[in-house]
Amino acid sequence: MAASSLLRTSFHHPRSFVSQARPLIGKPRVIMASKRAYTLDSFLVKPAELNEALKQNAPSRLSTAPRIVPLCASWFLPNDPEKRTGYEVFKKGHIPSARFFDLDAVADTSSPYPHMLPSAATFASAMRALGIHRDDNVVVYDSAELGIFSAPRVAWTLRAFGHSGVHILNNYKQWVAEGYPVEEGEQAPVEATNYPEPDIDAGKVVTFEEMREIARDANKEGSEGVQVLDARSLGRWKGVDPEPRPGLSSGHMPGSISVPVPELLDPETKTFLPAEKLREIFASKGVDPQRPIISSCGTGVTAAVIDAALTEAGYGLAAGRRLYDGSWTEWAQRVKPSDNLILKSE
């Protein structure tokens, strides 16, 4: 599904902006322009908090305040045994007024690697079609089946393009379990917006060339001490289990640390573990919060789960955090055997 056909748009009404303030994530936001107020106090949003915020922020053409927009980011691996797709799951049930973000369509489709970051023009076009304004508060969420999986990647993408009001629902599985409203069917038509073409924050992304130099210097005396966290399963990291993509060698980069996604989530609810528990997990793996961190995975999706967990845990805020967009799919195809940059261990 192309980005331009993500939804049907109705006629456009001009919108005036009373406030252009864009607070940082984690700070309460109070808008009084339309005689009502709402706040989203944290990066991870609980279902009860989102439900209350949506009730206080009922859609209105008269309001000039930034809105709260639920954004479904459901996505499944190509080898999903049930052959599920994100939009099919969206149609079976979604938060009322939610829009659907197609992770495969809003991407650099010219790249040989899946769902790489889109161009600024492609991103802006998708946001316009989704009816999202630059100052809207977007709450990204996953499928009830997976709990937390691809939503952090979409949230990270929005932040990489400078959209400041971004949160993650923790999570839609709990939203459904706690009995909050759910709608079925196609995404409702929305008004297209005039979302401006943004600049990408290059400081959030790592290229293959830089990643290769970091791996070559790993564990050498005098290296800058960049930490690489790998979200794939321990078996794939060790090289004893195969990659889901045929012909791709498993293993890991020199100096990388295995941080499988399931370790960061509650096994029953699939929500992120509490911040204190996340800090304990990262500390137990030797991750230093004062040193730079790069997150990686199979294709750049679940690497963002690690990044979101680091945000919640307060890790790497000063030293900096980045994501290797191409991740293992690019790495295993581009490094040469003679480089000795794919390691395996028992």
Side-chain angles (χ1 to χ4, degrees), residues 17-101:
F17 292 87
V18 172
S19 171
Q20 294 291 341
R22 298 186 186 121
L24 296 174
I25 291 296
K27 298 294 185 183
R29 183 177 196 178
V30 180
I31 305 296
M32 300 302 296
S34 57
K35 297 183 180 181
R36 59 184 171 81
Y38 61 85
T39 61
L40 286 173
D41 298 323
S42 59
F43 179 50
L44 298 183
V45 178
K46 295 179 180 180
E49 183 183 2
L50 176 59
N51 182 62
E52 183 61 27
L54 288 173
K55 286 194 297 185
Q56 293 183 30
N57 189 49
S60 169
R61 292 183 182 276
L62 299 179
S63 172
T64 58
R67 305 161 302 166
I68 295 177
V69 179
L71 185 63
C72 177
S74 295
W75 180 81
F76 295 87
L77 288 168
N79 63 345
D80 180 65
E82 299 179 38
K83 306 298 182 184
R84 294 169 293 187
T85 66
Y87 192 62
E88 288 301 317
V89 167
F90 174 89
K91 290 192 295 184
K92 290 180 180 178
H94 55 265
I95 296 173
S97 77
R99 295 93 194 271
F100 178 76
F101 189 101

Side-chain angles (χ1 to χ4, degrees), residues 184-207:
E184 297 180 356
E186 302 277 353
Q187 177 180 292
V190 297
E191 294 181 10
T193 62
N194 192 27
Y195 198 97
E197 188 171 312
D199 293 323
I200 190 167
D201 182 354
K204 291 185 180 296
V205 190
V206 182
T207 64

